[in-house]
Amino acid sequence: MVQTIPAKMPEGAIVSGVEKPWHHYLTLDLIVNVLSYTVLHPFVAWMIPLCLRAQATPYDHPSMYVTVAWASLLTVYGILGLINDRIAYGPPREVDLSEEVIVITGGASGLGALIAEVYGMRNANIAVLDVKKFSEDEAEEKGIAYYECDVGDPKQVEAAGKRIVEDLGVPTILINNAGIVHGKSLLELSSEEIEKTFRINTLSHFHTLRAFLPGMLEEERGTVVTVSSVLGHLGAANLSDYTASKAALLAMHASLEAELARDPRGQYIRTILCKPGQFSTPMFANVKTPSAFLAPVLAPVDIAKEIIRLVDGGRGGTIAVPLYARWIDVLGVLPAGLQYLVRRWSGVDNAMAGVNPSSAKKVGTEKKG
């Protein structure tokens, strides 16, 4: 839905008819992002001692010691970060979109659709696998090849894979994004619903990897994106099937990286793990974040731009946003009592209280963290 915002805003911004104060949009992530480009950036930090010298400040002045030490610390930290990424994910591979074939599952709506349309506008070779059927005119208009396919069915994935190779070429970039959620308690879930969640959220990754990874290994180039969720670490009430399916992806992705490391051709494959927080999608419109400051709700574009940045750069890595998602592993090493208090304070187990399960089922391919 596109909203029209007046050029001159009133005292509080108006979103969906509700006036919100300016500080509503002030988040921890925004503050850290601003700091990272200012006082926490090595280049900016080195400007301070240079400016002091321009004012004829002696080298032995305390201000020079402090500013040089601070700039040196940031520089060393940045270099260590680059070394860490190089060891963990290998050197970037060269990516030429004209020679790549990108496959996106669940690309009919939400995050997947946004990524597909961005690459479609850049004239890349895009293949979307989704149960939704698109007309040829719509596909041609967007520059995207749509393949009607239930990614939870290995036979359909295999058949779609063969058609993609014939139509576009060997896929070299795979973005596993498809997912559903039911929003029911464990006792309310039917066996069919549980199986469907795992077929689409988890088993689909196995099916697509079995279909497309061999081609990447033969081509000796490729990128695999696994879209999981921060809830895979946490679990949450009324999301037992969803969180379990996403937790399985965390282990599957780690195993994939381990197997690629054992294969000599695996050094040419880059892997990206995406574990975001809450998404602002229609089926979770009634979900309220416990803290807009510490845990802001993400727009699909927030994740899409990070995925596209790493894919275009031929890099591997982990995408964990908002900021708390980067440190969620720390929760697991805290004493059990403290973990209980953190969960109570965060409100994670009450987040689904306002969601209508029937509305969640209607939008099966949209994503939420």
Side-chain angles (χ1 to χ4, degrees), residues 338-369:
L338 189 54
Q339 290 186 42
Y340 172 80
L341 293 176
V342 170
R343 293 185 70 91
R344 286 289 301 272
W345 168 79
S346 69
V348 63
D349 294 320
N350 297 319
M352 294 295 293
V355 176
N356 182 357
S358 61
S359 66
K361 289 177 67 176
K362 292 179 183 177
V363 195
T365 57
E366 298 227 8
K367 296 297 300 173
K368 183 238 185 218

mmCIF file of all heavy atoms in Angstrom, residues 338-369:
data_model
loop_
_atom_site.group_PDB
_atom_site.id
_atom_site.type_symbol
_atom_site.label_atom_id
_atom_site.label_comp_id
_atom_site.label_asym_id
_atom_site.label_seq_id
_atom_site.Cartn_x
_atom_site.Cartn_y
_atom_site.Cartn_z
ATOM 1 N N LEU A 338 17.422 -15.508 34.529
ATOM 2 C CA LEU A 338 17.573 -14.238 33.833
ATOM 3 C C LEU A 338 16.966 -14.310 32.432
ATOM 4 O O LEU A 338 16.355 -13.344 31.955
ATOM 5 C CB LEU A 338 19.054 -13.870 33.756
ATOM 6 C CG LEU A 338 19.385 -12.455 33.245
ATOM 7 C CD1 LEU A 338 18.640 -11.401 34.056
ATOM 8 C CD2 LEU A 338 20.891 -12.211 33.312
ATOM 9 N N GLN A 339 17.107 -15.473 31.781
ATOM 10 C CA GLN A 339 16.466 -15.654 30.478
ATOM 11 C C GLN A 339 14.952 -15.504 30.601
ATOM 12 O O GLN A 339 14.303 -14.869 29.754
ATOM 13 C CB GLN A 339 16.789 -17.036 29.913
ATOM 14 C CG GLN A 339 18.229 -17.224 29.481
ATOM 15 C CD GLN A 339 18.444 -18.552 28.790
ATOM 16 O OE1 GLN A 339 17.627 -18.993 27.978
ATOM 17 N NE2 GLN A 339 19.549 -19.221 29.115
ATOM 18 N N TYR A 340 14.386 -16.066 31.653
ATOM 19 C CA TYR A 340 12.942 -15.967 31.879
ATOM 20 C C TYR A 340 12.517 -14.513 32.038
ATOM 21 O O TYR A 340 11.521 -14.077 31.455
ATOM 22 C CB TYR A 340 12.571 -16.769 33.129
ATOM 23 C CG TYR A 340 11.132 -16.584 33.570
ATOM 24 C CD1 TYR A 340 10.111 -17.282 32.936
ATOM 25 C CD2 TYR A 340 10.811 -15.719 34.616
ATOM 26 C CE1 TYR A 340 8.786 -17.111 33.340
ATOM 27 C CE2 TYR A 340 9.499 -15.544 35.025
ATOM 28 C CZ TYR A 340 8.489 -16.245 34.378
ATOM 29 O OH TYR A 340 7.184 -16.068 34.768
ATOM 30 N N LEU A 341 13.293 -13.759 32.812
ATOM 31 C CA LEU A 341 12.950 -12.350 33.034
ATOM 32 C C LEU A 341 13.065 -11.547 31.734
ATOM 33 O O LEU A 341 12.233 -10.668 31.469
ATOM 34 C CB LEU A 341 13.872 -11.754 34.096
ATOM 35 C CG LEU A 341 13.698 -12.304 35.523
ATOM 36 C CD1 LEU A 341 14.733 -11.700 36.456
ATOM 37 C CD2 LEU A 341 12.288 -12.020 36.032
ATOM 38 N N VAL A 342 14.077 -11.846 30.921
ATOM 39 C CA VAL A 342 14.249 -11.135 29.651
ATOM 40 C C VAL A 342 13.064 -11.411 28.730
ATOM 41 O O VAL A 342 12.541 -10.503 28.067
ATOM 42 C CB VAL A 342 15.573 -11.543 28.972
ATOM 43 C CG1 VAL A 342 15.641 -10.986 27.551
ATOM 44 C CG2 VAL A 342 16.756 -11.045 29.787
ATOM 45 N N ARG A 343 12.618 -12.661 28.691
ATOM 46 C CA ARG A 343 11.471 -13.000 27.850
ATOM 47 C C ARG A 343 10.208 -12.298 28.336
ATOM 48 O O ARG A 343 9.403 -11.796 27.533
ATOM 49 C CB ARG A 343 11.255 -14.516 27.821
ATOM 50 C CG ARG A 343 12.351 -15.310 27.142
ATOM 51 C CD ARG A 343 11.976 -16.784 27.074
ATOM 52 N NE ARG A 343 10.885 -16.990 26.126
ATOM 53 C CZ ARG A 343 11.059 -17.256 24.838
ATOM 54 N NH1 ARG A 343 12.277 -17.341 24.331
ATOM 55 N NH2 ARG A 343 10.034 -17.441 24.037
ATOM 56 N N ARG A 344 10.026 -12.260 29.637
ATOM 57 C CA ARG A 344 8.848 -11.577 30.190
ATOM 58 C C ARG A 344 8.891 -10.100 29.857
ATOM 59 O O ARG A 344 7.881 -9.495 29.473
ATOM 60 C CB ARG A 344 8.792 -11.768 31.716
ATOM 61 C CG ARG A 344 8.367 -13.160 32.160
ATOM 62 C CD ARG A 344 6.892 -13.399 31.889
ATOM 63 N NE ARG A 344 6.065 -12.434 32.577
ATOM 64 C CZ ARG A 344 5.606 -12.582 33.832
ATOM 65 N NH1 ARG A 344 5.935 -13.669 34.519
ATOM 66 N NH2 ARG A 344 4.825 -11.665 34.382
ATOM 67 N N TRP A 345 10.061 -9.491 30.007
ATOM 68 C CA TRP A 345 10.204 -8.061 29.744
ATOM 69 C C TRP A 345 10.018 -7.747 28.256
ATOM 70 O O TRP A 345 9.410 -6.746 27.883
ATOM 71 C CB TRP A 345 11.577 -7.590 30.203
ATOM 72 C CG TRP A 345 11.904 -6.212 29.719
ATOM 73 C CD1 TRP A 345 11.466 -5.027 30.226
ATOM 74 C CD2 TRP A 345 12.718 -5.878 28.584
ATOM 75 N NE1 TRP A 345 11.963 -3.978 29.494
ATOM 76 C CE2 TRP A 345 12.733 -4.473 28.482
ATOM 77 C CE3 TRP A 345 13.437 -6.637 27.661
ATOM 78 C CZ2 TRP A 345 13.439 -3.812 27.489
ATOM 79 C CZ3 TRP A 345 14.144 -5.977 26.673
ATOM 80 C CH2 TRP A 345 14.128 -4.584 26.593
ATOM 81 N N SER A 346 10.546 -8.624 27.393
ATOM 82 C CA SER A 346 10.493 -8.354 25.958
ATOM 83 C C SER A 346 9.094 -8.506 25.383
ATOM 84 O O SER A 346 8.760 -7.887 24.377
ATOM 85 C CB SER A 346 11.445 -9.299 25.208
ATOM 86 O OG SER A 346 10.967 -10.637 25.260
ATOM 87 N N GLY A 347 8.280 -9.352 26.002
ATOM 88 C CA GLY A 347 6.934 -9.566 25.490
ATOM 89 C C GLY A 347 6.887 -10.449 24.257
ATOM 90 O O GLY A 347 5.873 -10.488 23.553
ATOM 91 N N VAL A 348 7.958 -11.205 23.987
ATOM 92 C CA VAL A 348 8.011 -12.023 22.781
ATOM 93 C C VAL A 348 6.907 -13.079 22.761
ATOM 94 O O VAL A 348 6.380 -13.423 21.701
ATOM 95 C CB VAL A 348 9.398 -12.691 22.643
ATOM 96 C CG1 VAL A 348 9.674 -13.638 23.804
ATOM 97 C CG2 VAL A 348 9.517 -13.421 21.311
ATOM 98 N N ASP A 349 6.519 -13.581 23.924
ATOM 99 C CA ASP A 349 5.512 -14.636 23.961
ATOM 100 C C ASP A 349 4.084 -14.104 23.901
ATOM 101 O O ASP A 349 3.135 -14.885 23.874
ATOM 102 C CB ASP A 349 5.700 -15.494 25.214
ATOM 103 C CG ASP A 349 7.007 -16.270 25.181
ATOM 104 O OD1 ASP A 349 7.360 -16.773 24.099
ATOM 105 O OD2 ASP A 349 7.682 -16.361 26.217
ATOM 106 N N ASN A 350 3.936 -12.777 23.911
ATOM 107 C CA ASN A 350 2.606 -12.179 23.776
ATOM 108 C C ASN A 350 2.431 -11.481 22.436
ATOM 109 O O ASN A 350 1.390 -10.871 22.176
ATOM 110 C CB ASN A 350 2.370 -11.156 24.899
ATOM 111 C CG ASN A 350 2.391 -11.804 26.274
ATOM 112 O OD1 ASN A 350 1.860 -12.890 26.459
ATOM 113 N ND2 ASN A 350 3.028 -11.145 27.228
ATOM 114 N N ALA A 351 3.446 -11.560 21.586
ATOM 115 C CA ALA A 351 3.432 -10.805 20.331
ATOM 116 C C ALA A 351 2.315 -11.244 19.399
ATOM 117 O O ALA A 351 1.784 -10.444 18.627
ATOM 118 C CB ALA A 351 4.779 -10.942 19.627
ATOM 119 N N MET A 352 1.942 -12.532 19.456
ATOM 120 C CA MET A 352 0.936 -13.049 18.528
ATOM 121 C C MET A 352 -0.481 -12.946 19.065
ATOM 122 O O MET A 352 -1.419 -13.406 18.428
ATOM 123 C CB MET A 352 1.248 -14.519 18.209
ATOM 124 C CG MET A 352 2.533 -14.731 17.451
ATOM 125 S SD MET A 352 2.478 -14.022 15.800
ATOM 126 C CE MET A 352 1.248 -15.056 15.017
ATOM 127 N N ALA A 353 -0.657 -12.314 20.233
ATOM 128 C CA ALA A 353 -1.971 -12.276 20.866
ATOM 129 C C ALA A 353 -3.018 -11.589 20.006
ATOM 130 O O ALA A 353 -4.196 -11.958 20.017
ATOM 131 C CB ALA A 353 -1.877 -11.580 22.226
ATOM 132 N N GLY A 354 -2.618 -10.577 19.232
ATOM 133 C CA GLY A 354 -3.585 -9.828 18.439
ATOM 134 C C GLY A 354 -3.719 -10.286 17.007
ATOM 135 O O GLY A 354 -4.384 -9.633 16.199
ATOM 136 N N VAL A 355 -3.091 -11.418 16.665
ATOM 137 C CA VAL A 355 -3.116 -11.886 15.287
ATOM 138 C C VAL A 355 -4.221 -12.890 15.083
ATOM 139 O O VAL A 355 -4.374 -13.840 15.868
ATOM 140 C CB VAL A 355 -1.753 -12.513 14.905
ATOM 141 C CG1 VAL A 355 -1.807 -13.095 13.510
ATOM 142 C CG2 VAL A 355 -0.665 -11.469 14.997
ATOM 143 N N ASN A 356 -4.982 -12.703 14.033
ATOM 144 C CA ASN A 356 -6.039 -13.646 13.676
ATOM 145 C C ASN A 356 -5.426 -14.773 12.847
ATOM 146 O O ASN A 356 -4.940 -14.533 11.747
ATOM 147 C CB ASN A 356 -7.114 -12.925 12.862
ATOM 148 C CG ASN A 356 -8.271 -13.848 12.510
ATOM 149 O OD1 ASN A 356 -8.245 -15.031 12.824
ATOM 150 N ND2 ASN A 356 -9.274 -13.295 11.846
ATOM 151 N N PRO A 357 -5.431 -16.010 13.342
ATOM 152 C CA PRO A 357 -4.802 -17.110 12.610
ATOM 153 C C PRO A 357 -5.335 -17.268 11.196
ATOM 154 O O PRO A 357 -4.593 -17.620 10.291
ATOM 155 C CB PRO A 357 -5.131 -18.345 13.476
ATOM 156 C CG PRO A 357 -5.326 -17.795 14.842
ATOM 157 C CD PRO A 357 -5.972 -16.459 14.640
ATOM 158 N N SER A 358 -6.629 -17.012 10.988
ATOM 159 C CA SER A 358 -7.197 -17.185 9.658
ATOM 160 C C SER A 358 -6.587 -16.210 8.663
ATOM 161 O O SER A 358 -6.351 -16.527 7.510
ATOM 162 C CB SER A 358 -8.712 -16.998 9.695
ATOM 163 O OG SER A 358 -9.038 -15.687 10.137
ATOM 164 N N SER A 359 -6.292 -14.981 9.119
ATOM 165 C CA SER A 359 -5.675 -13.994 8.222
ATOM 166 C C SER A 359 -4.238 -14.353 7.930
ATOM 167 O O SER A 359 -3.718 -14.079 6.854
ATOM 168 C CB SER A 359 -5.744 -12.587 8.844
ATOM 169 O OG SER A 359 -4.940 -12.522 10.010
ATOM 170 N N ALA A 360 -3.564 -14.987 8.880
ATOM 171 C CA ALA A 360 -2.175 -15.391 8.661
ATOM 172 C C ALA A 360 -2.085 -16.470 7.590
ATOM 173 O O ALA A 360 -1.174 -16.489 6.783
ATOM 174 C CB ALA A 360 -1.559 -15.906 9.970
ATOM 175 N N LYS A 361 -3.078 -17.373 7.549
ATOM 176 C CA LYS A 361 -3.047 -18.460 6.586
ATOM 177 C C LYS A 361 -3.277 -17.963 5.160
ATOM 178 O O LYS A 361 -2.851 -18.575 4.201
ATOM 179 C CB LYS A 361 -4.112 -19.492 6.934
ATOM 180 C CG LYS A 361 -3.809 -20.306 8.183
ATOM 181 C CD LYS A 361 -4.928 -21.241 8.509
ATOM 182 C CE LYS A 361 -5.074 -22.327 7.461
ATOM 183 N NZ LYS A 361 -6.099 -23.301 7.790
ATOM 184 N N LYS A 362 -3.957 -16.834 5.040
ATOM 185 C CA LYS A 362 -4.294 -16.337 3.711
ATOM 186 C C LYS A 362 -3.084 -15.805 2.966
ATOM 187 O O LYS A 362 -3.085 -15.736 1.754
ATOM 188 C CB LYS A 362 -5.354 -15.226 3.821
ATOM 189 C CG LYS A 362 -6.717 -15.729 4.286
ATOM 190 C CD LYS A 362 -7.692 -14.574 4.404
ATOM 191 C CE LYS A 362 -9.038 -15.061 4.932
ATOM 192 N NZ LYS A 362 -9.984 -13.932 5.116
ATOM 193 N N VAL A 363 -2.083 -15.367 3.704
ATOM 194 C CA VAL A 363 -0.902 -14.788 3.063
ATOM 195 C C VAL A 363 0.271 -15.694 3.354
ATOM 196 O O VAL A 363 1.090 -15.417 4.201
ATOM 197 C CB VAL A 363 -0.638 -13.364 3.584
ATOM 198 C CG1 VAL A 363 0.336 -12.644 2.665
ATOM 199 C CG2 VAL A 363 -1.947 -12.583 3.674
ATOM 200 N N GLY A 364 0.347 -16.793 2.639
ATOM 201 C CA GLY A 364 1.281 -17.839 2.995
ATOM 202 C C GLY A 364 2.722 -17.588 2.655
ATOM 203 O O GLY A 364 3.595 -18.167 3.270
ATOM 204 N N THR A 365 3.000 -16.722 1.679
ATOM 205 C CA THR A 365 4.385 -16.591 1.260
ATOM 206 C C THR A 365 5.038 -15.320 1.791
ATOM 207 O O THR A 365 6.155 -15.011 1.423
ATOM 208 C CB THR A 365 4.485 -16.582 -0.273
ATOM 209 O OG1 THR A 365 3.676 -15.521 -0.780
ATOM 210 C CG2 THR A 365 4.051 -17.892 -0.841
ATOM 211 N N GLU A 366 4.365 -14.588 2.648
ATOM 212 C CA GLU A 366 4.980 -13.393 3.210
ATOM 213 C C GLU A 366 5.870 -13.806 4.374
ATOM 214 O O GLU A 366 5.672 -14.841 5.002
ATOM 215 C CB GLU A 366 3.901 -12.410 3.673
ATOM 216 C CG GLU A 366 3.038 -11.955 2.507
ATOM 217 C CD GLU A 366 2.850 -10.475 2.486
ATOM 218 O OE1 GLU A 366 3.510 -9.812 3.276
ATOM 219 O OE2 GLU A 366 2.053 -9.997 1.680
ATOM 220 N N LYS A 367 6.808 -12.941 4.705
ATOM 221 C CA LYS A 367 7.814 -13.293 5.690
ATOM 222 C C LYS A 367 7.682 -12.481 6.949
ATOM 223 O O LYS A 367 7.269 -11.350 6.943
ATOM 224 C CB LYS A 367 9.217 -13.042 5.127
ATOM 225 C CG LYS A 367 9.555 -13.908 3.939
ATOM 226 C CD LYS A 367 9.582 -15.354 4.275
ATOM 227 C CE LYS A 367 10.581 -15.669 5.319
ATOM 228 N NZ LYS A 367 10.541 -17.033 5.788
ATOM 229 N N LYS A 368 8.061 -13.094 8.022
ATOM 230 C CA LYS A 368 8.164 -12.391 9.290
ATOM 231 C C LYS A 368 9.339 -12.958 10.039
ATOM 232 O O LYS A 368 9.646 -14.135 9.957
ATOM 233 C CB LYS A 368 6.877 -12.573 10.082
ATOM 234 C CG LYS A 368 6.905 -11.787 11.401
ATOM 235 C CD LYS A 368 6.721 -12.678 12.571
ATOM 236 C CE LYS A 368 6.631 -11.911 13.857
ATOM 237 N NZ LYS A 368 7.294 -12.581 14.956
ATOM 238 N N GLY A 369 10.026 -12.113 10.815
ATOM 239 C CA GLY A 369 11.188 -12.593 11.540
ATOM 240 C C GLY A 369 10.817 -13.387 12.738
ATOM 241 O O GLY A 369 9.669 -13.589 13.062
#
